[in-house]
Amino acid sequence: DLREKLCRYWVACCHREAGVVATLGAELAGPLARLLPLILSPWFVLSGSGVSLREAAAASRGELPESVGLRDVADFVVSARQSSSSLIGLLHSLGYVRGLLDALGMSERDRLESMLRYAVVGGGACQSGEAPLRPRPLTAAEARAVRWRIGALAMR
C-alpha cells in the first residue's frame, strides 16, 4: 500500500539506507527515483540516491536538472497515473504542507522530525489491517530514536 511504502521510504531517507531508498524509490517513482529524495526534502540529498552536485544545485533553484528531460518527467507522470497509487496527489499534498509549515515559520528540521514521527507510526500495519484514523503515540524508545536521527541529519 502507498502509505506504508512512503512511510518506509521516509524512514529510509532519514536513516540514509541507500539500498532501501533505491528499491522503494524505483517502485514509487520509476525513472525519476533518484530525484524523489530531493522532492521530499533538500536534507535527503545524501540519502544515497545518486544525485549529482549539478542536479542538487538545479533542484535548489527550482529548475529541472539537465540530466532529466521532459520525456523523463512525462514517463514518470504517465507511470504514476497508470498505477493504482496516488503518488502525484500525495506529492502535491506534501508540497502544500511544506508551504504552509514554512509560512508558519516551522524549520525544515522540525518538519522532518514531525514527518519521521508519523512515518514510524504509519509504517507498521495495525492489527485489523486497516490504516488507523489517528496514529498511535510513539513509545519512549521510538521518540528517542526520532530525535537522535534528526539530530544526526542536522549535523551533516
Side-chain angles (χ1 to χ4, degrees):
D1 132 273
L2 180 62
R3 176 186 57 84
E4 288 181 7
K5 258 185 207 170
L6 189 64
C7 288
R8 288 195 325 259
Y9 188 77
W10 194 276
V11 171
C13 284
C14 288
H15 288 198
R16 297 196 177 152
E17 296 172 352
V20 178
V21 168
T23 302
L24 287 175
E27 291 177 30
L28 289 167
L32 295 181
R34 62 193 174 76
L35 299 177
L36 187 56
L38 281 178
I39 292 169
L40 296 176
S41 172
W43 282 27
F44 293 158
V45 69
L46 301 176
S47 293
S49 59
V51 175
S52 72
L53 187 56
R54 284 180 188 237
E55 291 170 330
S60 73
R61 294 188 306 270
E63 299 172 1
L64 196 61
E66 291 176 15
S67 61
V68 177
L70 289 178
R71 180 73 180 174
D72 295 323
V73 174
D75 289 346
F76 167 71
V77 171
V78 168
S79 169
R81 293 198 127 196
Q82 285 177 345
S83 72
S84 61
S85 73
S86 304
L87 180 62
I88 291 194
L90 184 60
L91 292 174
H92 195 93
S93 296
L94 286 172
Y96 278 132
V97 169
R98 178 188 284 169
L100 288 170
L101 294 176
D102 187 51
L104 292 171
M106 182 179 245
S107 69
E108 182 68 4
R109 175 193 173 111
D110 290 342
R111 183 181 79 85
L112 287 179
E113 185 170 355
S114 175
M115 294 293 290
L116 179 59
R117 177 183 191 277
Y118 287 101
V120 168
V121 173
C126 61
Q127 293 174 1
S128 68
E130 297 176 13
L133 293 177
R134 188 161 57 173
R136 66 172 172 75
L138 290 179
T139 65
E142 288 171 330
R144 281 192 304 276
V146 166
R147 282 192 304 275
W148 181 85
R149 176 50 55 192
I150 293 299
L153 274 173
M155 292 183 352
R156 293 181 187 192

